[in-house]
Amino acid sequence: MQDLHPSGWGHNEKVSIELPNGKVYNGFFWNRSHLLAKSLGGSESIENLICGTRMQNVGANTRGAKGGMAYTEDLARVWLEQNPEGFLYYSAEPLYERAELVCRNVIVNVRSSDGTIDQQVIVYNAAKGYMIDYATGRFARE
C-alpha cells in the first residue's frame, strides 16, 4: 500500500495533534484512508483511498467514540458479527470543492437490514490546530 498515493498525497510529516479526549496523537499528518475498510471488504486500490488526516481516519483512537471513519466501520463490523444472516448498506462519499485534491469531508451512510442502524455521518477531514490547503494537500500550524 505504500506505493499508492491518493489525490493530494505528498506533503506529509510527523506532527503532534491534540485529540478531543485530551490525549495527543504523535505521527504522520496524512493517512491513506480507506473509503470502505478492508475489514468490510474494501480493496487496497487507489480508487478506495483518500488523503485523510489521522482524525478523519480514526477519530480519537478510542473504540466506539463518535469520530473518524473508524466510528461507522466499528458500528458496521459489530452489527455484522452479531447478525451473520443480515446485510448492510454502506456508502462513503468524499466531498471536494471545485478542483481540490483533498476532500473536505466524507458522507457515510450505513443502514442495516433489520433497521436498527440508519445513520448518516459527516466525517470532517481536519485536525485541531492546523490549517489545510485542500487544493494542494499542504498544511500548517495555525
Side-chain angles (χ1 to χ4, degrees), residues 79-80 82-88 112-114:
W79 188 88
L80 287 167
Q82 295 173 351
N83 299 276
E85 300 300 317
F87 61 90
L88 284 174
S112 61
S113 57
D114 66 0

Side-chain angles (χ1 to χ4, degrees), residues 7-137:
S7 176
W9 191 261
H11 308 286
N12 208 5
E13 61 186 63
K14 289 190 175 181
V15 296
S16 295
I17 301 171
E18 183 182 339
L19 302 174
N21 62 8
K23 294 182 181 180
V24 175
Y25 163 75
N26 294 297
F28 284 100
F29 186 82
W30 292 120
N31 286 195
R32 291 172 179 89
S33 180
H34 291 85
L35 292 171
L36 181 61
K38 291 189 302 183
S39 61
L40 296 175
S43 66
E44 290 286 348
S45 66
I46 197 69
E47 297 83 10
N48 191 37
L49 296 174
I50 62 166
C51 191
T53 64
R54 182 66 177 176
M55 284 80 268
Q56 182 277 334
N57 197 11
V58 297
N61 288 339
T62 305
R63 185 176 174 96
K66 289 189 176 183
M69 297 292 288
Y71 168 69
T72 52
E73 293 164 358
D74 284 345
L75 189 68
R77 271 191 296 276
V78 168
W79 188 88
L80 287 167
E81 288 168 4
Q82 295 173 351
N83 299 276
E85 300 300 317
F87 61 90
L88 284 174
Y89 168 80
Y90 190 101
S91 69
E93 179 183 2
L95 299 179
Y96 298 83
E97 288 189 13
R98 296 172 292 283
E100 291 176 338
L101 297 177
V102 176
C103 70
R104 291 181 178 254
N105 49 51
V106 178
I107 306 295
V108 180
N109 287 290
V110 59
R111 293 183 181 88
S112 61
S113 57
D114 66 0
T116 59
I117 300 174
D118 186 1
Q119 290 191 30
Q120 181 178 76
V121 179
I122 300 172
V123 181
Y124 296 96
N125 200 5
K128 183 178 180 179
Y130 286 85
M131 295 180 303
I132 298 172
D133 181 346
Y134 293 93
T136 65

